[in-house]
Amino acid sequence: MTDTDRISVSRRIDAPAKDIFEVLTLPSNHVKIDGSGFVRSVDQGDRIQETGSKFVMNMEGDHMGGEYQTDNWVSAYAENQMVGWKTAPAGVEPPGWEWLWELKADGADATDVTLTYDWSKVTDKDLLEKLKFPLVPEEDLEASLGNLASLVSS
């Protein structure tokens, strides 16, 4: 689903929700999951266990002039069901975009996974112009779901 300020993609993955959740809540796994090519490594990031926690990623992209870091503030957490975070350039309050992974068990060995990239709360007109949302297109989100499926089945 694409609308003017969010993109959601879904995929059925042949793995239990708890296994997928374990992969998603370890920030270092997002280097392998990321379909955009922006995520390079984790600078600081213990397993996500609650909202309000933070992890720091090393990133690279032309939109930011090369290498940069992001602070990622956990905004959603429900064990084996949901994890999400608001991303910001390091040292800056989150300007309004969020990543949300939702898991819905489909029996014991399969899960419907939805990834949503939402920038509906970005109100800074200069930032909206600079970053040209959506910064990450739908096909990159689809690639992230494919990477996640490969990671949990390996």
Side-chain angles (χ1 to χ4, degrees):
M1 171 198 84
T2 303
D3 60 31
T4 59
D5 54 8
R6 75 179 48 93
I7 301 169
S8 290
V9 295
S10 298
R11 178 180 179 149
R12 184 177 189 273
I13 296 178
D14 292 326
K18 72 175 191 58
D19 292 354
I20 295 170
F21 190 76
E22 285 293 310
V23 169
L24 290 173
T25 56
L26 191 58
S28 60
N29 286 330
H30 288 271
V31 176
K32 298 173 197 159
I33 295 169
D34 173 45
S36 72
F38 295 145
V39 179
R40 297 297 185 221
S41 63
V42 173
D43 187 72
Q44 178 277 319
D46 296 329
R47 182 171 298 282
I48 297 168
Q49 298 183 35
E50 62 186 357
T51 59
S53 60
K54 178 180 87 167
F55 59 97
V56 180
M57 303 296 284
N58 297 313
M59 312 284 285
E60 185 173 358
D62 292 341
H63 63 284
M64 293 291 284
E67 294 181 1
Y68 63 102
Q69 282 190 327
T70 60
D71 290 340
N72 301 277
W73 296 95
V74 179
S75 56
Y77 181 92
E79 189 170 350
N80 301 331
Q81 297 174 33
M82 176 187 320
V83 64
W85 50 87
K86 294 179 180 178
T87 299
V92 176
E93 287 295 314
W97 67 89
E98 183 173 28
W99 297 93
L100 181 64
W101 294 86
E102 297 173 276
L103 312 176
K104 184 176 180 188
D106 183 12
D109 296 320
T111 306
D112 293 321
V113 180
T114 300
L115 170 57
T116 300
Y117 169 42
D118 183 346
W119 61 97
S120 63
K121 295 180 180 92
V122 176
T123 58
D124 183 326
K125 292 184 187 320
D126 292 335
L127 182 64
L128 286 166
E129 180 62 28
K130 177 185 176 190
L131 293 183
K132 308 277 192 237
F133 284 95
L135 185 59
V136 180
E138 186 171 350
E139 56 268 16
D140 289 358
L141 299 181
E142 293 281 0
S144 293
L145 285 175
N147 294 341
L148 174 62
S150 295
L151 192 56
V152 297
S153 67
S154 59

